[in-house]
């Protein structure tokens, strides 16, 4: 669906040359919600603007539906961009236009018949829950309502791709959750590919299927959210999780427990249906070791449940090894802490 090949972007010339992106390779499948997370200045917004060529890459290729966008002339690029919607952190609404007129704006640009505009705007107002706000102006709306208008406007041209540039950063937590639920609904209803730029790990955790972590203009880690979140490999990824996740203690592998003779402390991770199964108790029943749960949590990554436990096993070295082998054989991830 979308593939970025060795994308670089630099600004300035000579001694003032400033690299913004370096060697970006990403592949995003149709219907995915793909998150890109990074700190301020990491290159997130530049990356997303390179996808629709609002920023033209210095080098590299941007493929969407089998077409290299970087090779299109201005007229053909304009046509392709109509199938790429975009929503922004600060909404970018026309302040002197009503909600209705804001949503209708992209349709009027391509001279859509007024009857079809009316039908489409009515449909989109219902989709985003603003049926009773058509004649209001942006100044009369809350932040969440403004973003809903922005989402409706971005969908007016029936896009295949929706780019979200820090779409929830200006919103309070409750409103953020409602917008994220709306994006998931849109994704599922229209099989719309969504690329979501954020610096908030809980946004990635809530709705994304896959994630790429960007740092200093390069991708340092990417993959399914479950893999990246539960087993982060890069320091920047760990920093996001440790500082923004409720599971900071569990994800911290430097965690220490009181020293108990003939014991081993491990982190056990469960994923999917195994989260609710009695695998731990069944395993120790067969191996005969004692155990103490020192910490634990159950949560979800998008719609996938996961659990993590810090467990101290007590017994002989052989019995503890058989216990860990048994847990691993059942599909659990086991990491020795001390």
């Amino acid at each position: 669906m979308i593939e970025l090949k060795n994308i670089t972007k630099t600004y300035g010339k000579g001694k003032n040359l400033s690299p913004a992106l370096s060697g970006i390779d990403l592949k995003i499948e149709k219907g995915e919600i793909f998150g890109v997370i990074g700190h301020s200045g990491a290159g997130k917004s530049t990356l997303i603007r390179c996808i629709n060529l609002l920023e033209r890459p210095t080098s590299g290729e941007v493929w969407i539906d089998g077409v290299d966008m970087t090779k299109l002339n201005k007229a053909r690029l304009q046509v392709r961009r109509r199938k790429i919607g975009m929503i922004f952190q600060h909404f970018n609404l026309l302040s002197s236009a009503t909600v209705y007129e804001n949503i209708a704006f992209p349709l009027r640009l391509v001279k859509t018949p007024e009857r079809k505009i009316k039908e489409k705007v009515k449909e989109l107002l219902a989709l985003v829950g603003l049926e009773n706000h058509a004649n209001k102006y942006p100044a009369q709306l809350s932040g969440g309502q403004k973003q809903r208008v922005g989402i409706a406007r971005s969908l007016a041209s029936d896009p295949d791709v929706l780019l979200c540039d820090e779409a929830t950063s200006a919103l309070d937590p409750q409103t953020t959750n409602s917008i994220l639920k709306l994006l998931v609904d849109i994704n599922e209803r229209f099989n719309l590919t969504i690329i979501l730029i954020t610096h908030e790990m809980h946004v990635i955790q809530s709705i994304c299927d896959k994630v790429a972590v960007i740092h200093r203009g390069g991708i340092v880690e990417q993959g399914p959210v479950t893999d990246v979140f539960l087993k982060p490999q890069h320091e920047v990824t760990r920093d996001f999780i440790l500082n923004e996740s409720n599971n900071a203690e569990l994800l911290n592998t430097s965690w220490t427990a009181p020293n108990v003779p003939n014991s081993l402390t491990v982190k056990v991770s469960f994923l999917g249906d195994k989260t609710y199964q009695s695998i731990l108790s069944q395993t120790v029943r067969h191996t005969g070791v004692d155990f103490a749960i020192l910490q634990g949590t159950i949560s979800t990554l998008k719609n996938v449940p996961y659990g993590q436990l810090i467990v101290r096993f007590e017994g002989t070295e052989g019995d503890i090894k058989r216990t860990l082998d048994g847990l691993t054989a059942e599909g659990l991830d086991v990491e020795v802490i001390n």
Side-chain angles (χ1 to χ4, degrees):
M1 174 60 184
I2 299 173
E3 189 170 5
L4 307 185
K5 298 181 179 181
N6 199 28
I7 294 295
T8 66
K9 177 65 180 179
T10 57
Y11 296 99
K13 295 181 179 180
K15 293 182 180 180
N16 296 320
L17 192 67
S18 176
L21 298 175
S22 176
I24 299 290
D25 290 307
L26 285 179
K27 190 171 184 180
I28 301 167
E29 301 296 339
K30 181 172 178 58
E32 281 185 339
I33 301 181
F34 193 102
V36 178
I37 189 169
H39 293 296
S40 297
K44 303 187 301 296
S45 292
T46 301
L47 174 59
I48 200 171
R49 291 168 67 86
C50 281
I51 293 175
N52 59 6
L53 269 67
L54 289 177
E55 293 276 2
R56 184 167 284 274
T58 304
S59 64
E61 301 172 355
V62 179
W63 289 81
I64 300 180
D65 279 345
V67 176
D68 183 358
M69 301 283 283
T70 65
K71 300 296 193 293
L72 300 179
N73 61 32
K74 186 175 181 180
R76 292 181 64 199
L77 179 59
Q78 197 74 10
V79 172
R80 298 291 299 187
R81 276 192 183 134
R82 292 172 194 160
K83 303 304 287 183
I84 304 174
M86 190 164 186
I87 59 176
F88 307 87
Q89 178 179 359
H90 298 296
F91 321 125
N92 288 17
L93 302 181
L94 302 170
S95 60
S96 60
T98 64
V99 168
Y100 182 99
E101 295 298 328
N102 266 282
I103 299 172
F105 181 71
L107 296 172
R108 293 224 166 93
L109 285 179
V110 294
K111 298 180 171 53
T112 305
E114 201 62 35
R115 177 182 58 80
K116 289 189 176 181
I117 290 177
K118 186 175 181 180
E119 292 174 359
K120 189 65 176 179
V121 173
K122 182 179 180 181
E123 171 191 327
L124 290 170
L125 285 169
L127 176 67
V128 301
L130 294 177
E131 301 97 318
N132 299 322
H133 300 273
N135 297 319
K136 290 184 178 179
Y137 289 87
Q140 298 173 287
L141 303 176
S142 67
Q145 289 170 333
K146 290 176 185 177
Q147 195 57 283
R148 287 173 181 269
V149 177
I151 292 171
R153 180 185 58 189
S154 72
L155 297 176
S157 300
D158 296 319
D160 299 317
V161 178
L162 180 61
L163 307 179
C164 306
D165 190 3
E166 297 279 10
T168 61
S169 295
L171 306 175
D172 62 77
Q174 184 175 358
T175 305
T176 291
N177 289 337
S178 70
I179 293 298
L180 294 178
K181 288 179 181 178
L182 176 59
L183 290 175
V184 170
D185 179 55
I186 290 168
N187 165 257
E188 293 176 348
R189 188 177 302 194
F190 303 113
N191 196 31
L192 187 66
T193 305
I194 297 178
I195 303 171
L196 194 150
I197 299 293
T198 184
H199 64 272
E200 300 171 299
M201 194 65 199
H202 74 90
V203 171
I204 300 293
Q205 179 182 353
S206 297
I207 72 168
C208 292
D209 302 300
K210 293 180 182 175
V211 61
V213 183
I214 188 169
H215 179 60
R216 295 179 179 175
I219 301 298
V220 297
E221 188 166 358
Q222 62 176 302
V225 171
T226 49
D227 292 348
V228 173
F229 185 84
L230 295 178
K231 300 174 69 175
Q233 301 300 308
H234 195 275
E235 180 182 353
V236 173
T237 313
R238 293 182 58 79
D239 179 61
F240 272 113
I241 295 172
L242 292 172
N243 287 305
E244 299 187 35
S245 166
N246 291 328
N247 308 302
E249 291 296 325
L250 290 172
L251 293 170
N252 187 354
T253 53
S254 65
W255 193 93
T256 58
N259 186 27
V260 175
N262 301 317
S263 72
L264 190 69
T265 302
V266 302
K267 179 174 71 175
V268 183
S269 298
F270 308 74
L271 188 64
D273 293 340
K274 294 181 185 297
T275 304
Y276 304 113
Q277 296 174 7
S278 55
I279 296 173
L280 177 59
S281 62
Q282 290 177 16
T283 302
V284 297
R285 191 179 303 129
H286 285 97
T287 60
V289 303
D290 292 324
F291 72 97
I293 295 176
L294 307 179
Q295 260 185 322
T297 188
I298 293 178
S299 189
T300 59
L301 293 167
K302 197 172 182 181
N303 296 321
V304 180
Y306 75 92
Q308 289 189 314
L309 300 176
I310 301 294
V311 184
R312 185 179 66 227
F313 292 110
E314 302 171 18
T316 68
E317 183 177 343
D319 287 343
I320 292 177
K321 183 181 184 303
R322 288 197 300 122
T323 301
L324 303 189
D325 289 344
L327 295 174
T328 301
E330 289 290 341
L332 306 189
D333 186 76
V334 178
E335 179 182 353
V336 176
I337 294 179
N338 60 33

